């Protein structure tokens, strides 16, 4: 068949443009990416070969070969892995943009990355990074086990198009031929290739080989040397996680992290241990320092890479770790699982459960240790990942306590940059305080200055400030050291339990006025009552104990969800002079138009205080202005 000319998908075109013009100075990562693809292709073939022996064809070993051709100016990466069909390669390298590509591009357009091309390394740059060093790339590939020599040749100069054509290929697998740019010809040099492999791909399990020239004693003539070509394996192939801790340098650990995570920055914590007993496995795990850019995407792939006796089974095995630790990266190598373990089997496997339990405990212990011994580092971790970690409070009942101990919050009595653990809050609770109080809000300042906190301030109680939308959800029903959590903006607040008799008196006094307000506002609020939380402010709106938190409501609405309209409760402050005055007016003249106007005005104010808008802003503004006029006239005599 003839050559077909095809167009790259828009996002891929943009990505290619970026690669060609990249100012990124570690261009040598292209080789890491190609070798990683080759290694994945071999892993896939090996996995399939477990059940389908024809995949092996006539070959006995797996291998990645590098071939430098000085005359042609090319570097070729060859693997004898799974290979691709025409349809597969057209999609994989052309017409389908990978998940996250759009977001990746958006991030790269941002100022931060533009000014700092090094950040490119944070993302998995993949096959297309070849175009940082090559002006043309040719891929020749044949699917393993296909039974004939029919293969496909893909080629592109990254000008928006690529070609595919039918060719023949003797061996299964893939050749990626890089036609190196004039100023990137160094990648033909043996020493350069060696050093890049050592740096990025030393622990790749499969041999990465290259033909190198060597001097040898001549067999024909004594005393003379001849130069011969010999295949040499460039990588040590030692799975880093199987090495002794003492033999692994900090640098090696970090390099491997970059390999498994595609993160350019150093990890916050390295966890490397061997489990023996009911389950035998090795785990090398990392807690990142920075949020992966795709962690909130639907198709974010979580979980460490799963190996069984050094054979890679799965890139990301989500069964190995709970979702609330989905930021953890690394590998787990089990000695107990069968090699042909399937995804379905993983879902209900005792060994997997044991590993999951062990890994979870280890990560939580490590975080606890970090919090204790390296607080600053922990705080910066927490600011990145705390929001995800918190999900564990809700979903992992058995570890509620351990996770609670890892939580940090801002608080009313502390400056915005200070976060406190729950233990500290509980330790500084005042005499007579029985609950842990918290307020949710959109910002620290808004929460701290909220009128809802007046009674707490007067008592000298501290109130935790919770700014994540999920916080209320998590705090509801949570207990810490036997103390319940109580929202300052929901339910009744009663901090003066000793003054019950006095309160009954006040209630009686305002009863009729409250009934009147209730009647007037019956379509707006579900109840009107005296407030235990206000001191200076006249009134406010609160939710019932079980009502949805306003922050959560906002979040759901912004996601386009239908949130049922919940009526609020109006709380009035009996200590405020306005109610004293209104009560007098009421006792004198029963129902009056003036009173009605004031009730409306007070309700609108309460709406403003909780961050909502009066139903009729113009009417509200008019009413306020009328009062101002009265006041000004009075002042002017
Ligand atoms: P990623 O490897 O992150 O998926 P790439 O852009 O590097 O992204 O590769 C895209 C896809 O092309 C791979 O997912 C794989 O399906 C296919 N591919 C790339 N290189 C090879 C190879 N050497 N052998 C088989 N398939 C490959």
């Amino acid at each position: 068949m003839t050559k077909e000319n095809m167009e790259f998908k828009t996002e891929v075109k943009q990505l290619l443009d970026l690669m060609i013009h990249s100012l990124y100075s570690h261009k040598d990562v292209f080789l890491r990416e190609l070798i990683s693809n080759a290694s994945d292709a071999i892993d896939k073939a090996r996995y399939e070969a477990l059940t389908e022996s024809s995949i092996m064809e006539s070959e006995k070993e797996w291998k990645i070969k590098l071939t430098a051709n000085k005359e042609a100016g090319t570097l070729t990466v060859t693997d004898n892995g799974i290979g691709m069909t025409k349809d597969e390669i057209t999609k994989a390298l052309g017409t389908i943009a990978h998940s996250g590509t759009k977001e990746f591009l958006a991030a790269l357009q941002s100022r931060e990355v533009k000014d700092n091309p090094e950040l490119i390394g944070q993302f998995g740059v993949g096959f297309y990074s070849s175009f940082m060093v090559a002006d043309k790339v040719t891929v020749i590939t044949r699917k393993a086990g296909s039974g004939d020599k029919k293969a496909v040749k893909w080629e592109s100069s990254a000008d928006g198009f690529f070609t595919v054509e039918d060719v023949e290929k003797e061996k299964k697998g893939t050749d990626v031929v890089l036609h190196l740019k004039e100023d990137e010809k160094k990648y033909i040099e043996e020493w350069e290739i060696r050093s890049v492999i050592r740096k990025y791909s030393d622990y790749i399990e499969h041999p990465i080989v290259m033909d190198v020239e060597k001097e040898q004693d001549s067999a024909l003539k004594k005393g003379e040397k001849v130069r011969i070509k010999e295949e040499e394996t460039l990588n040590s192939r030692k799975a880093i996680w199987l090495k002794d801790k003492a033999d692994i340098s900090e640098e090696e650990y970090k390099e491997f992290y970059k390999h498994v995570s595609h993160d350019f920055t150093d990890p916050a914590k390295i966890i490397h241990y061997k489990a023996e007993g009911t389950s035998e496995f090795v785990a090398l795990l990392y807690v990142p320092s920075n949020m992966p850019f795709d962690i909130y995407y639907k198709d974010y792939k979580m979980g460490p890479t799963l190996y069984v006796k050094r054979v890679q089974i799965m890139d990301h095995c989500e069964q190995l770790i709970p979702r609330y630790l989905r930021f953890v990266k690394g590998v787990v190598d089990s000695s107990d699982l069968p090699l042909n373990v399937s995804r379905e089997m993983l879902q209900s496997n005792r060994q997997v459960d044991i590993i999951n339990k062990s890994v979870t405990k280890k990560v939580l212990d490590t975080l606890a240790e970090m919090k204790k011994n390296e607080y600053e580092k922990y705080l910066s971790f927490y600011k990145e990942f705390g929001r995800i970690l918190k999900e564990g409070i809700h979903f992992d009942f058995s570890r509620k306590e351990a996770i609670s101990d890892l939580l940090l919050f801002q608080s009313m009595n502390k400056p915005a940059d200070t976060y406190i653990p729950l233990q500290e809050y509980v330790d500084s609770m005042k005499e007579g305080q029985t609950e842990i109080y918290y307020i949710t809000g959109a910002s620290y300042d808004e929460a701290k200055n909220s009128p809802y906190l007046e009674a707490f301030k007067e008592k000298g109680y501290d109130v935790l400030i919770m700014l994540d939308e999920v916080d209320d959800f998590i705090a509801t029903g949570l207990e810490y050291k036997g103390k319940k959590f109580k929202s300052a903006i929901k339910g009744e607040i009663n901090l003066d339990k000793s003054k019950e008799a006095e309160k009954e008196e006040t209630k009686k006094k305002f009863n009729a006025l409250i009934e009147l307000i209730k009647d007037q506002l019956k379509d707006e609020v579900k109840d009107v009552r005296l407030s235990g939380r206000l001191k200076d402010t006249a009134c406010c709106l609160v939710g019932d104990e079980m009502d949805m938190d306003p922050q959560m409501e906002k979040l759901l609405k912004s996601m386009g969800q239908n949130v049922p309209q919940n009526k609020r409760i109006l709380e009035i402050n009996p200590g405020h002079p306005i109610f004293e005055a209104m009560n007098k007016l009421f006792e004198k003249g029963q129902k009056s138009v003036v009173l009605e106007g004031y009730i409306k005005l007070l309700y609108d104010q309460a709406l403003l205080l909780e961050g909502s808008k009066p139903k009729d802003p113009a009417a509200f503004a008019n009413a306020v202005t009328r009062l101002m006029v009265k006041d000004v006239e009075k002042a002017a005599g």
Side-chain angles (χ1 to χ4, degrees), residues 66-84:
L66 304 178
T67 314
N69 184 330
K70 277 210 170 85
E71 289 74 48
T74 59
L75 174 67
T76 301
V77 181
T78 300
D79 69 68
N80 58 355
I82 193 73
M84 286 174 272

Side-chain angles (χ1 to χ4, degrees), residues 110-229:
S110 75
R111 271 208 70 82
E112 193 192 356
V113 177
K114 267 200 181 136
D115 293 347
N116 190 358
E118 295 309 298
L119 287 176
I120 285 188
Q122 270 191 30
F123 306 94
V125 280
F127 169 83
Y128 299 114
S129 63
S130 321
F131 288 99
M132 293 198 292
V133 298
D135 37 33
K136 185 167 88 179
V137 179
T138 311
V139 183
I140 299 163
T141 184
R142 176 165 79 70
K143 192 85 178 175
S146 57
D148 54 29
K149 309 281 172 263
K150 260 169 66 184
V152 52
K153 177 172 160 186
W154 176 106
E155 196 163 76
S156 178
S157 304
D159 50 0
F161 297 89
F162 62 96
T163 58
V164 281
E165 72 186 293
D166 295 326
V167 290
E168 295 219 323
K169 186 174 185 300
E170 193 58 36
K171 291 186 170 169
K172 67 180 187 307
T174 305
D175 297 338
V176 178
V177 187
L178 307 176
H179 306 264
L180 295 167
K181 290 182 186 172
E182 214 38 64
D183 48 356
E184 303 292 350
K185 289 270 166 32
K186 63 171 185 272
Y187 294 111
I188 294 174
E189 305 299 335
E190 184 188 315
W191 65 268
E192 182 72 37
I193 296 172
R194 272 182 197 279
S195 98
V196 179
I197 296 297
R198 211 172 306 123
K199 187 162 157 201
Y200 294 119
S201 311
D202 194 51
Y203 37 74
I204 292 283
E205 183 197 344
H206 311 291
I208 304 167
V209 304
M210 185 165 66
D211 286 336
V212 297
E213 280 199 6
K214 281 194 175 145
E215 273 198 345
Q216 217 178 41
D217 290 333
S218 165
L220 299 171
K221 223 172 175 186
K222 241 189 154 173
E224 253 187 40
K225 302 267 183 198
V226 286
R227 295 187 73 79
I228 56 147
K229 278 207 165 180

Side-chain angles (χ1 to χ4, degrees), residues 32-57:
R32 175 187 74 189
E33 299 293 327
L34 293 182
I35 284 179
S36 158
N37 281 349
S39 172
D40 286 351
I42 290 177
D43 288 338
K44 275 185 205 150
R46 183 176 53 183
Y47 183 65
E48 283 191 19
L50 291 171
T51 48
E52 184 55 64
S53 56
S54 66
I55 293 285
M56 283 304 282
E57 301 193 352

